[in-house]
Amino acid sequence: MIDSDAYRFETLAIRTGQERSQFGEHSEALYLTSSFVFSSAAEAAALFAGEREGFIYSRFTNPTVSLFQERLAALEGAEACIATASGMAAILATTLALLKSGDHIVAARGIFGASQTLFATILTKFGVTTTFVSGCEPADFREALQSNTRLVFIETPSNPLTEVHDIAALADITHAAGALLVVDNCFCTPALQRPIEFGADLVIHSATKHLDGQGRVLGGAVCGGKAVIEEIFKFMRTAGPTLSPFNAWVILKGLETLKLRMQAHAANALELARRLEAHPAIERVFYPGLPSHPQHALAMRQQSAGGAIVSFEVKGGREAAWRVVDHCRLLSITANLGDVKTTITHPASTTHGRITPEARAAAGISEGLLRVAVGLEAIDDIERDLLRGLNAR
Ligand SMILES: *Cc1c(COP(=O)(O)O)cnc(C)c1O
């Protein structure tokens, strides 16, 4: 076992937590088993009573899943981590484990669509209400706090406009109100941004995205302090939205190359953002790594690079934007992100298609806006695919 204080990120991503079996396997072992056997009735009783540590049943814990949890916790600089079946399962488990009827959430309006729906339509059935805050002004978040606010929930950079939240400022405001700051770190991953260092209490992941990074499995995780993760674990072991050992094993393989991939994603994205910014058919490019981004300085304080998401507004509205999408031969037309394969989506008619045109305009999602989740193909090939539609008349 390696000590997480003594090693750097790249090493922790590859080495943390591995304990070899009697076979001495070099790669991490995959324990595909639903339950574990006990050597005696007394051992079974001790394990169930919590007097002894060990594995009982894979809804509670599993060695491959535990290894993934330990490794991700080390990468986020967290005391503990609990893995979940998907990113949404992580958000559901966090809210149901920590909140009760009468509690209140303050959430950024720009969070992932399913998270918005969970807060606005499902949690309300259990008496948990949410105030959504537009934009990134910490003062607006402070104003939304109530005496019953328990969680403040953000994603930074936001999707699709890459607005950047000031994690340290929000942590101060949140803690002054006795609440917890939750950061969905799916876009940056700990390879580019470690929210706990800036005061966040919980970090949420859709491991489906960059942590796996190759579009193979669903997974999720919550990282944070020991006591709060223990609360979420109690919910998980009873309610059961657990990560499968197979998916944990696949994502462990993803973690090994996370830093390399994220640096390459960000380098490709920055280069694409620069080239698009210079193109006459484009009105505006949104990318935190560009000096023209209004929060570039804040982004560069929190993130070691801009991330993989580049959004841009094409001149000529929906017609021109759709022309770019429809001329793509290489880029995948899909709303997914966090893959080595570059994807393109027109938010106004897909991810943000069901909100009213007025709400869309208020959120800054124009008809000409396109979002590219930049993958690891050659940058010239990605650019050429986009130029075909941009240059078409
Ligand atoms: C995809 C995504 C989620 C949900 O994750 P699933 O694994 O699809 O359940 C949550 N937050 C963000 C920012 C996402 O991109």
Side-chain angles (χ1 to χ4, degrees):
M1 292 277 262
I2 74 163
D3 172 8
S4 66
D5 293 332
Y7 291 96
R8 307 280 292 260
F9 188 96
E10 294 84 338
T11 312
L12 296 174
I14 293 170
R15 296 283 183 177
T16 303
Q18 189 177 9
E19 282 180 89
R20 298 197 169 91
S21 77
Q22 73 268 34
F23 302 116
E25 68 281 354
H26 193 204
S27 173
E28 290 73 6
L30 168 53
Y31 290 96
L32 279 180
T33 181
S34 48
S35 67
F36 299 82
V37 295
F38 316 113
S39 61
S40 65
E43 192 198 16
L47 280 160
F48 271 88
E51 291 157 7
R52 263 189 73 169
E53 280 207 23
F55 296 101
I56 298 174
Y57 187 55
S58 287
R59 169 152 43 79
F60 311 167
T61 52
N62 169 284
T64 309
V65 176
S66 298
L67 174 52
F68 164 66
Q69 292 174 165
E70 196 180 326
R71 201 168 284 185
L72 186 60
L75 298 183
E76 283 288 2
E79 282 176 8
C81 168
I82 179 87
T84 58
S86 66
M88 288 318 301
I91 299 170
L92 179 73
T94 301
T95 50
L96 289 191
L98 303 181
L99 303 176
K100 59 180 189 316
S101 178
D103 285 347
H104 176 250
I105 302 171
V106 172
R109 189 169 296 284
I111 59 174
F112 187 65
S115 308
Q116 280 184 45
T117 309
L118 171 69
F119 294 171
T121 70
I122 297 178
L123 292 184
T124 48
K125 291 199 289 186
F126 303 95
V128 173
T129 53
T130 299
T131 301
F132 291 99
V133 176
S134 299
C136 297
E137 269 312 315
D140 295 339
F141 280 79
R142 187 191 288 120
E143 221 156 88
L145 291 166
Q146 303 176 3
S147 57
N148 57 344
T149 304
R150 298 284 170 263
L151 299 179
V152 173
F153 192 103
I154 60 164
E155 283 166 27
T156 183
S158 76
N159 179 23
L161 293 176
T162 72
E163 291 175 315
V164 178
H165 289 278
D166 187 331
I167 301 172
L170 286 176
D172 286 347
I173 289 169
T174 303
H175 295 157
L180 301 177
L181 178 63
V182 186
V183 178
D184 182 331
N185 199 27
C186 168
F187 274 29
C188 278
T189 82
L192 303 184
Q193 171 175 273
R194 306 207 316 160
I196 289 172
E197 287 174 357
F198 295 92
D201 300 286
L202 289 169
V203 172
I204 302 253
H205 277 287
S206 167
T208 315
K209 311 293 168 52
H210 285 297
L211 297 190
D212 169 36
Q214 296 169 59
R216 300 170 294 192
V217 297
L218 292 181
V222 191
C223 299
K226 254 200 174 79
V228 63
I229 295 299
E230 181 62 27
E231 277 309 297
I232 301 172
F233 170 68
K234 283 186 211 153
F235 170 86
M236 288 292 301
R237 75 175 260 168
T238 304
T242 314
L243 183 64
S244 89
F246 179 77
N247 288 7
W249 183 83
V250 170
I251 302 163
L252 272 168
K253 291 288 133 193
L255 290 184
E256 294 179 343
T257 55
L258 181 65
K259 184 120 187 186
L260 273 179
R261 284 188 288 105
M262 291 313 294
Q263 287 171 339
H265 276 288
N268 253 3
L270 178 59
E271 183 57 29
L272 182 70
R274 283 188 181 133
R275 294 184 189 184
L276 293 177
E277 200 169 39
H279 196 284
I282 289 177
E283 190 73 50
R284 213 178 139 190
V285 178
F286 303 86
Y287 185 66
L290 283 179
S292 61
H293 189 283
Q295 296 156 298
H296 177 66
L298 170 62
M300 294 299 102
R301 275 206 302 280
Q302 294 181 167
Q303 308 170 211
S304 59
I309 304 295
V310 177
S311 294
F312 54 97
E313 243 171 58
V314 182
K315 291 176 185 164
R318 176 177 294 213
E319 197 187 326
W322 278 24
R323 191 157 56 225
V324 174
V325 173
D326 290 337
H327 276 80
C328 286
R329 293 179 203 155
L330 180 73
L331 273 50
S332 313
I333 306 172
T334 168
N336 198 22
L337 59 94
D339 197 305
V340 292
K341 296 183 173 75
T342 301
T343 68
I344 185 165
T345 191
H346 178 248
S349 57
T350 59
T351 51
H352 295 70
R354 275 189 283 179
I355 58 175
T356 63
E358 295 73 33
R360 254 201 315 276
I365 314 287
S366 73
E367 288 292 331
L369 187 74
L370 290 170
R371 189 202 73 193
V372 174
V374 183
L376 300 185
E377 302 96 337
I379 182 65
D380 289 345
D381 294 333
I382 298 170
E383 184 195 26
R384 185 149 30 92
D385 224 38
L386 292 169
L387 288 183
R388 209 175 292 118
L390 285 172
N391 295 339
R393 280 290 170 266

